[in-house]
Amino acid sequence: MKRINAVNIAYIYLRLSNEDQRQGESGSITNQRKILEDYCTRNNIVIAREFADDDWSGGNFNRPGFQSMIKALKSDGRVNMVITKDLSRLGRDMSESSYYAERYFPEHGIRYIAVYDNFDSEEENFLAPFQFAINDVYLRDSSKKIKTALHTMMDRGEYCFRAPYGYEKDPHDNHKLLPNPETAPVVKRIFRMAVQGFSTWAIAEALTRDGIFPPLKYRVYEIEGMDSGNAEAMSDEWNNTTVKRILKNPVYLGHTMLGKSKKVSPKSEVKRSVPQDEWRITMNTHEPLVSREEFDCAARYLGKRRADYEKHEHVRKSIFGGIAYCSCCGAPMCSSGTVYNGEREKYWYLTCQNIPKRSKKPCPNGARIKYDVLQRAVCEELNDLIHLSGEEKREITQEAMRIAGDTGSQKARQKRMTEIEQRQKAIDSLLMKIYEDMYTGRLQEDTAQRMTEKYQQESSTLSSEYAELQECQRTADDTKAAYDEFFALTEQFSDVDKLTPEILSTFIDRIEVEPKVYPPGVKVYARSKIPYEQTIHIYYKFIGERPGTISSKPA
């Protein structure tokens, strides 16, 4: 939808990457700014705001400056233009750059101009596909050169990434590691405690108790120089996963091990693991913090504890791991209970992880539920969904669509959107007439200004309403697609006799268990037979939580 504005008001966007810096001053942020300011001056364009991303690749559209600009465009209806020096400043990814330049900006009433490439989204741009393609080729070529340079440094044993916890970069050689005088003793302590038989949880608790910053907080607070407000957002607590990663990392033996993961493509931020035989390993590149004997001993203890835990038959292995959570505090539900007279299932519970008194963050009203009760309730709910008729599934889908788009029917929404489009065109004509009358002297300037503001306010209100109607329509369509996809899953099963991890992961994202609710005024004792109700919330794949909840009553 076209934005209404008496004058052209623009955001200018500037971007520079490491590769672009090789162009020297001609490609600098300062030079880009001067070019755009001169262009706007010559063409009577008002610059409302500048957005910039310095040292950001054109293949990444999650740049902070760019995303801030997109967010600002959504909230500032005055701005009707975005201007860059050339198309490569917008980005070098062919599909993303084309999307924003030729679809996103025009669809949101924004005129996009790339000065040096003579690109104007309101005109025919026959050469644009070739320009986008050239920028994309440049991105791929730059990525290949950078990757080759990194591999060469890796093969020489040069450490070309951030120094791991316990080390710092040599001030005289940025590709070599030196022990960090503050964190190296912490790493040595972790290995020493592991060799003495302490568990990773016990090590983590000891480090937290002594007020030692965990790796992430140390990096933010001590190395990156961020202010204390940002550092406060980082956790002060160590966890067993962090301790395990340190104990398993061969870098502390003095070896450089790089190339363990790589991006799936030059345009993606997603990484995947690389087979171990393809890692770049160089031995004895820096001072070790632990001996081979300590490293191997710690590894044996880690493996032994896990093996000892898993080999016992009495260990209960819950299928709800990573799925069931306490609704009160959000903590995972863990296996608990006793084995009495050989009966394991009868006394098997799932309990909020934060119920025990030793928990660092005790849950004030943690949930606890019998394992078989939860299994039975979830199984019954799944079978109810599987056994729905085609007509019942359509009715459920239609009701969900109605709830998702409760501003009215699709026909009524479309009618109102057409009315808004017609009124916006009328406002366009009225504003043009006002400006013609003002410039010819038939209308006083202050009167024209008041009338313009009035119509601009109406236009802004209509634009907001139009956007809400569009979103409502999209929400209803998305809801239908989600329910269709979920019910397609149910067609794969005729009945669920027994829950398995595979069935749970197919249908369910998350289960939240509420505490038991007893009759008012009743005093509850341990092992009492007092009736209670307990609510379970099931969040399904694609569709989330269905209306209503499941109440679990004692058998």
Side-chain angles (χ1 to χ4, degrees):
M1 180 174 293
K2 186 175 181 180
R3 298 190 178 203
I4 305 300
N5 210 321
V7 296
N8 289 320
I9 300 178
Y11 285 157
I12 61 173
Y13 177 70
L14 324 168
R15 184 189 63 80
L16 189 70
S17 69
N18 282 329
E19 277 297 303
D20 297 322
Q21 289 178 19
R22 296 179 182 178
Q23 301 174 17
E25 179 59 26
S26 64
S28 69
I29 291 288
T30 302
N31 191 61
Q32 291 180 52
R33 182 184 295 113
K34 185 177 185 307
I35 290 169
L36 297 185
E37 287 176 346
D38 290 346
Y39 176 84
C40 290
T41 300
R42 292 195 308 272
N43 292 275
N44 298 318
I45 299 170
V46 176
I47 298 176
R49 190 173 167 188
E50 170 192 304
F51 296 86
D53 283 309
D54 200 351
D55 195 18
W56 280 87
S57 167
N60 180 1
F61 275 78
N62 289 320
R63 305 167 230 141
F66 183 80
Q67 290 301 323
S68 295
M69 181 180 71
I70 296 299
K71 185 177 180 181
L73 286 171
K74 293 177 181 178
S75 61
D76 192 345
R78 302 173 306 145
V79 177
N80 53 14
M81 297 182 75
V82 168
I83 308 176
T84 63
K85 175 193 167 190
D86 52 45
L87 290 171
S88 70
R89 297 310 91 202
L90 178 66
R92 292 192 182 276
D93 180 285
M94 181 167 58
S95 58
E96 290 278 5
S97 299
S98 174
Y99 165 72
Y100 279 104
E102 299 184 300
R103 285 191 54 195
Y104 182 87
F105 289 141
E107 288 175 2
H108 289 77
I110 304 296
R111 180 183 179 187
Y112 170 65
I113 292 176
V115 178
Y116 275 21
D117 286 332
N118 295 317
F119 181 95
D120 186 334
S121 61
E122 290 191 350
E123 298 177 2
E124 293 290 340
N125 297 283
F126 297 107
L127 295 178
F130 301 101
Q131 293 167 317
F132 290 131
I134 290 170
N135 289 328
D136 196 278
V137 170
Y138 180 92
L139 172 66
R140 294 175 183 273
D141 184 58
S142 298
S143 174
K144 183 179 179 180
K145 290 176 180 176
I146 292 171
K147 189 183 296 182
T148 301
L150 283 175
H151 287 174
T152 301
M153 288 189 289
M154 289 180 189
D155 290 338
R156 291 199 299 257
E158 297 179 0
Y159 210 92
C160 40
F161 300 104
R162 181 187 289 116
Y165 185 77
Y167 287 101
E168 62 185 5
K169 292 294 186 73
D170 187 336
H172 304 296
D173 185 346
N174 195 47
H175 298 133
K176 290 191 177 297
L177 298 177
L178 294 176
N180 184 314
E182 293 181 343
T183 57
V186 179
V187 172
K188 293 178 180 179
R189 177 182 175 183
I190 290 172
F191 275 93
R192 187 166 60 250
M193 292 182 70
V195 170
Q196 292 170 357
F198 287 91
S199 70
T200 52
W201 276 113
I203 296 171
E205 289 174 356
L207 296 174
T208 301
R209 187 169 55 249
D210 291 348
I212 297 171
F213 282 172
L216 180 57
K217 181 151 189 172
Y218 178 83
R219 189 181 80 214
V220 170
Y221 195 86
E222 298 290 348
I223 298 176
E224 297 184 354
M226 298 176 73
D227 61 59
S228 59
N230 288 324
E232 285 299 322
M234 304 299 165
S235 175
D236 290 322
E237 296 184 359
W238 287 74
N239 59 62
N240 70 320
T241 301
T242 302
V243 174
K244 283 180 182 177
R245 285 174 181 163
I246 290 174
L247 292 173
K248 292 179 178 180
N249 195 342
V251 73
Y252 301 114
L253 288 170
H255 311 321
T256 297
M257 186 175 294
L258 301 172
K260 293 187 287 186
S261 63
K262 66 178 181 181
K263 291 183 179 180
V264 296
S265 77
K267 301 178 182 180
S268 174
E269 293 302 308
V270 177
K271 293 184 177 182
R272 69 180 181 192
S273 298
V274 172
Q276 189 168 350
D277 57 0
E278 296 180 19
W279 294 357
R280 260 76 175 182
I281 302 174
T282 310
M283 310 297 284
N284 305 317
T285 56
H286 51 272
E287 181 182 335
L289 298 185
V290 298
S291 67
R292 168 55 72 176
E293 290 74 18
E294 288 177 304
F295 190 88
D296 291 343
C297 184
R300 281 197 302 273
Y301 271 113
L302 279 175
K304 182 176 184 300
R305 277 189 289 271
R306 182 174 183 85
D308 287 346
Y309 175 83
E310 292 184 342
K311 72 181 181 181
H312 295 297
E313 285 298 321
H314 71 272
V315 173
R316 298 182 173 106
K317 300 174 180 65
S318 169
I319 63 172
F320 294 101
I323 291 180
Y325 296 86
C326 171
S327 66
C328 181
C329 68
M333 303 284 287
C334 304
S335 292
S336 66
T338 60
V339 178
Y340 184 69
N341 287 338
E343 292 188 87
R344 298 171 68 251
E345 304 296 325
K346 185 176 180 180
Y347 304 102
W348 186 358
Y349 290 84
L350 288 183
T351 305
C352 169
Q353 180 178 281
N354 289 332
I355 281 183
K357 293 180 180 179
R358 63 181 174 82
S359 174
K360 295 173 184 175
K361 298 178 181 177
C363 183
N365 196 17
R368 189 168 184 261
I369 188 171
K370 272 195 145 185
Y371 188 81
D372 67 331
V373 169
L374 181 60
Q375 274 193 312
R376 189 166 59 249
V378 174
C379 198
E380 290 174 357
E381 175 72 4
L382 282 178
N383 279 320
D384 286 345
L385 290 169
I386 290 170
H387 297 152
L388 289 172
S389 66
E391 181 59 32
E392 288 172 323
K393 292 176 182 178
R394 281 190 293 275
E395 289 177 359
I396 291 173
T397 302
Q398 289 296 324
E399 176 62 14
M401 290 175 65
R402 187 193 67 77
I403 294 172
D406 59 3
T407 59
S409 67
Q410 181 176 351
K411 187 175 180 180
R413 283 196 299 271
Q414 191 57 53
K415 179 182 177 182
R416 179 56 183 158
M417 289 168 71
T418 302
E419 292 172 351
I420 292 173
E421 289 171 354
Q422 293 172 347
R423 179 55 182 166
Q424 290 282 32
K425 290 179 181 178
I427 290 174
D428 284 350
S429 299
L430 287 168
L431 286 170
M432 290 296 296
K433 184 70 168 61
I434 288 170
Y435 286 110
E436 288 174 3
D437 289 347
M438 183 181 69
Y439 286 122
T440 57
R442 292 195 297 268
L443 193 65
Q444 294 291 328
E445 186 174 344
D446 57 344
T447 303
Q449 182 65 29
R450 286 196 302 273
M451 293 175 69
T452 299
E453 290 177 355
K454 173 189 172 184
Y455 286 123
Q456 284 180 337
Q457 180 60 46
E458 182 183 356
S459 176
S460 177
T461 302
L462 289 172
S463 295
S464 298
E465 183 183 355
Y466 193 92
E468 290 175 2
L469 290 168
Q470 279 186 316
E471 183 61 31
C472 185
Q473 184 61 46
R474 281 195 296 268
T475 301
D477 293 342
D478 291 345
T479 299
K480 182 179 186 307
Y483 271 81
D484 287 346
E485 197 158 0
F486 176 79
F487 284 130
L489 291 177
T490 66
E491 299 296 332
Q492 301 174 18
F493 295 83
S494 58
D495 198 68
V496 175
D497 297 322
K498 181 181 179 181
L499 282 183
T500 65
E502 292 72 28
I503 291 176
L504 283 175
S505 63
T506 297
F507 286 103
I508 296 173
D509 275 329
R510 183 182 179 95
I511 297 172
E512 293 184 1
V513 181
E514 291 191 7
K516 297 173 183 175
V517 177
Y518 292 92
V522 175
K523 193 169 184 179
V524 180
Y525 299 93
R527 301 184 183 86
S528 61
K529 302 289 186 180
I530 300 171
Y532 65 84
E533 287 196 354
Q534 190 166 20
T535 300
I536 304 164
H537 304 270
I538 302 179
Y539 297 87
Y540 294 96
K541 300 279 188 182
F542 308 116
I543 63 174
E545 184 181 16
R546 289 189 62 218
T549 57
I550 303 170
S551 289
S552 169
K553 297 184 179 181

